[in-house]
Amino acid sequence: MTPPVEQRVSDLRLDRRALRAEHARVTWWRRLVRARLDLAVAQAARPQTLGEDVAFQLPLEVGLDVPRPAALAAVLADAGSEGVSADVGRLHELRALDEQLSTYAAGVEAALTRATDRLITRLAVDPGVVVAGLREPLGRG
């Protein structure tokens, strides 16, 4: 066996190229397995409906972006029945739903940032409300 220092640079590059390709393949397979695990868990314990609990905290335009519960439920219902072949036929629909979710998530994140900023401003203006706030129940009633 040739000592590592004496290996040709071209051989080392080929080794590296082959290992990078294998790393990409194993990364892809792990992503697929994790996606299937996520689907299996989501089918067993359905996620809560989006938008219901925060309807009054979100700006109207953000609330309009929330995907309909039926559209989200269809993602889980189709995952177990027809499998991958059904998903391939729905790629356009799934991408559109993902884009809608992305838009909604950005709106929720912006609303969360504004709510956090308002809370920090309120606490900075009147630090005494912190002690009073500790005595109040957290829920809205």
Side-chain angles (χ1 to χ4, degrees):
M1 181 171 176
T2 309
V5 242
E6 295 181 20
Q7 285 183 311
R8 292 186 358 216
V9 170
S10 61
D11 291 340
L12 294 171
R13 286 183 177 154
L14 288 173
D15 289 350
R16 188 171 182 276
R17 182 178 298 146
L19 291 169
R20 280 187 16 223
E22 185 66 8
H23 182 265
R25 284 188 293 271
V26 73
T27 299
W28 178 254
W29 276 108
R30 289 198 66 220
R31 182 175 168 209
L32 291 173
V33 169
R34 287 191 306 263
R36 285 294 179 179
L37 284 168
D38 286 347
L39 281 173
V41 169
Q43 285 175 326
R46 300 255 173 183
Q48 291 181 323
T49 304
L50 292 176
E52 289 180 350
D53 294 340
V54 293
F56 297 107
Q57 285 83 22
L58 291 174
L60 180 60
E61 66 275 8
V62 174
L64 294 175
D65 288 328
V66 66
R68 300 289 168 236
L72 295 172
V75 171
L76 296 178
D78 294 344
S81 59
E82 299 176 32
V84 176
S85 61
D87 287 345
V88 171
R90 296 181 56 218
L91 284 177
H92 179 72
E93 181 184 339
L94 289 169
R95 284 188 179 125
L97 182 58
D98 183 53
E99 183 61 33
Q100 186 179 7
L101 283 165
S102 175
T103 301
Y104 179 65
V108 170
E109 288 171 17
L112 174 60
T113 298
R114 286 190 302 274
T116 302
D117 291 345
R118 287 192 308 267
L119 175 62
I120 290 170
T121 300
R122 177 69 171 103
L123 294 175
V125 169
D126 187 3
V129 298
V130 174
V131 175
L134 293 175
R135 292 186 210 123
E136 295 176 10
L138 188 57
R140 289 188 178 261

